[in-house]
Amino acid sequence: MDIVAVKDSELERYVTKIMLEIGVPAHLKGYHYLRDAIILSGKDMEVVSSVTKLLYPTIAKHFKTTDQKVERAIRNAIEVSWTRGNVETFEKIFGYSAASGRNRPTNSEYIARIADNIRLDYKTM
């Protein structure tokens, strides 16, 4: 099944499940921005290659905020999940984790890896 054919509510529920498994705290603003970024990227991987020109402005417009605030909130959410999140899930998705001594992934790498993982999951369904 192609991810574009999946209902938005079902996709949002699936992304939320993965984010909670990873350990992104739901009370952070970046949580909501990150979920939208992953969904948008899952539907069109081109947006990940231009996060500052396409992805952040799209999310900022949706939430009525600035690109800079979106980037910062996403970075913070990633940092929190990286330091406090589920090591096994990070190992499965990224191939490494904070426990292995690696630095956290960049915003675009984090978004792209999770979006790609979700796309692959839906292809096997």
Side-chain angles (χ1 to χ4, degrees), residues 40-90:
L40 288 170
S41 300
K43 290 181 176 182
D44 181 11
M45 289 300 280
E46 288 296 312
V47 296
V48 177
S49 62
S50 185
V51 290
T52 56
K53 299 281 185 203
L54 291 173
L55 191 60
Y56 296 155
T58 302
I59 294 167
K61 187 175 182 183
H62 178 253
F63 286 96
K64 296 177 178 63
T65 188
T66 66
D67 308 4
Q68 294 82 9
K69 288 181 180 178
V70 168
E71 187 275 332
R72 174 73 178 98
I74 288 176
R75 187 165 21 100
N76 182 56
I78 291 170
E79 182 67 38
V80 170
S81 74
W82 187 248
T83 56
R84 299 186 217 162
N86 186 330
V87 174
E88 292 82 25
T89 306
F90 272 110

Side-chain angles (χ1 to χ4, degrees), residues 12-55:
E12 189 172 346
R13 215 178 347 267
Y14 191 71
V15 171
T16 299
K17 180 179 163 252
I18 289 177
M19 288 176 60
L20 293 174
E21 283 177 18
I22 290 175
V24 180
H27 70 281
L28 299 176
K29 277 188 180 182
Y31 171 89
H32 301 285
Y33 301 160
L34 191 55
R35 182 173 55 200
D36 274 16
I38 292 167
I39 291 169
L40 288 170
S41 300
K43 290 181 176 182
D44 181 11
M45 289 300 280
E46 288 296 312
V47 296
V48 177
S49 62
S50 185
V51 290
T52 56
K53 299 281 185 203
L54 291 173
L55 191 60

